[in-house]
Amino acid sequence: MTEQLRLMAVHAHPDDESSKGAATMAKYVAEGVQVLVVTCTGGERGSVLNPKLDRPDVWANIAEIRRGEMDAARAILGVEQAWLGFVDSGLPEGDPLPPLPEGCFALQDIEVAAAPLVKLMREFRPHVVTTYDEEGGYPHPDHIMCHNVSVAAFDAAGDPERFPELGTPWQPSKLYYDIGFSKAKIMALHEAMLARGEESPYAEWLERWEDRPDKGPRITTRVECADYFPVRDDALRAHATQVDPDGFWFHVPMELQQHAWPTEDFELVRSVVDSPLPESDLFAGVRETAQVR
């Protein structure tokens, strides 16, 4: 009997876990993998993006509400979840941009912010860690900090000379970045909508694409998880303050999504096991080396 496989997904805010890699997590949970979502902040400075909940009572209790939403999404996905305990930095807007709030996550020293994540890695002992790329997936200061902290913790968790007070060293085998959207994916969904004679919600996005780099060539790993797209969407809707159920994310029919692009995509950036690329499994190379109980 081989050791139970373990996956840790590190995210900036509650709701990020349901919009990035959620179907992959649900698939692995169904296969018996132990999955832990780490949420760096409480999302205290997030917007209320569902117009039906844009009310004073919601704004007054947003931190508590977002914790409840995270509990609901966690249960839907079947994952475990831990809070890292930092305060949301908010998304600065304006020209020039205003300073970030004192004490927020994005202003923490990397070594200080990485410490609780190192502790979690040594306790949970993940074989695979997923997080955001160097741009944070998109340039929210908390997403960029999440990337920095995740990489720092991945590199430190197995080093006995780093954070010796935080438990027995454990080196995760692989580190991945979520590649949520590539030009090929958006084009596939766009063209599939047009082929059905329906208006595509991606038209404007594609018009602006020339101004942004395409991360598609960075994809090393495509996980077939279309059967779990409905679970992903249910988890996303559980974050009711953050997602309009009548909004953009739900305009493309489920069966079209499952047919046009049935994978979630990742970039392998660190590995201590042999795993030829391209891959179709985050645990490729790990399954063969997992120790017997």
Side-chain angles (χ1 to χ4, degrees):
M1 184 176 181
T2 58
E3 181 181 6
Q4 184 179 25
L5 297 172
R6 294 179 297 276
L7 169 66
M8 174 183 282
V10 188
H11 290 282
H13 311 106
D15 81 84
D16 289 327
E17 85 296 326
S18 296
S19 61
K20 303 166 187 66
T24 295
M25 291 192 295
K27 165 191 165 70
Y28 282 126
V29 167
E31 294 176 356
V33 175
Q34 189 177 4
V35 179
L36 175 65
V37 168
V38 179
T39 312
C40 293
T41 79
E44 301 88 348
R45 292 189 170 96
S47 302
V48 176
L49 300 176
N50 183 349
K52 301 178 185 67
L53 294 178
D54 190 1
R55 308 189 308 258
D57 61 307
V58 172
W59 281 103
N61 297 285
I62 190 65
E64 180 181 351
I65 289 170
R66 294 201 72 179
R67 280 185 171 266
E69 292 172 345
M70 183 70 247
D71 284 343
R74 172 193 54 71
I76 290 167
L77 293 171
V79 301
E80 302 172 37
Q81 191 260 342
W83 301 95
L84 217 56
F86 294 102
V87 177
D88 190 344
S89 306
L91 182 60
E93 296 180 295
D95 187 14
L97 291 175
L100 293 172
E102 184 177 351
C104 70
F105 179 49
L107 293 181
Q108 300 297 312
D109 178 83
I110 296 292
E111 193 85 350
V112 171
L117 186 55
V118 169
K119 185 173 186 292
L120 276 176
M121 286 186 181
R122 290 177 176 176
E123 292 172 348
F124 183 67
R125 296 161 62 91
H127 299 96
V128 171
V129 177
T130 66
T131 190
Y132 313 142
D133 67 17
E134 65 284 351
E135 296 178 345
Y138 78 105
H140 189 297
D142 284 338
H143 284 239
I144 294 170
M145 187 62 167
C146 179
H147 159 81
N148 292 335
V149 166
S150 300
V151 173
F154 183 93
D155 290 342
D159 187 343
E161 296 184 3
R162 304 280 304 281
F163 304 100
E165 73 283 5
L166 297 182
T168 303
W170 171 264
Q171 180 58 61
S173 297
K174 301 173 86 173
L175 175 67
Y176 288 92
Y177 296 159
D178 290 291
I179 305 292
F181 291 99
S182 61
K183 188 172 184 179
K185 177 178 180 177
I186 298 305
M187 184 65 73
L189 294 168
H190 173 73
E191 292 179 346
M193 287 290 284
L194 297 181
R196 286 173 59 117
E198 298 187 33
E199 184 178 356
S200 167
Y202 298 107
E204 285 189 28
W205 198 339
L206 285 168
E207 288 175 5
R208 299 194 304 267
W209 197 278
E210 291 183 2
D211 298 329
R212 56 186 294 185
D214 178 18
K215 295 180 181 178
R218 295 174 55 169
I219 294 170
T220 61
T221 312
R222 302 180 189 274
V223 179
E224 292 266 359
C225 53
D227 289 347
Y228 297 91
F229 287 178
V231 180
R232 173 203 65 194
D233 283 7
D234 286 346
L236 194 54
R237 280 188 285 263
H239 292 283
T241 61
Q242 303 303 299
V243 179
D244 182 354
D246 301 317
F248 174 87
W249 294 111
F250 305 106
H251 282 181
V252 180
M254 178 56 63
E255 67 276 10
L256 185 148
Q257 295 182 52
Q258 292 171 317
H259 177 74
W261 202 271
T263 66
E264 288 182 337
D265 306 327
F266 301 85
E267 178 187 9
L268 177 63
V269 291
R270 298 266 208 289
S271 183
V272 299
V273 297
D274 291 330
S275 181
L277 302 179
E279 304 171 316
S280 59
D281 178 14
L282 299 184
F283 293 94
V286 176
R287 296 181 189 275
E288 296 79 7
T289 59
Q291 296 177 352
V292 175
R293 290 185 189 273

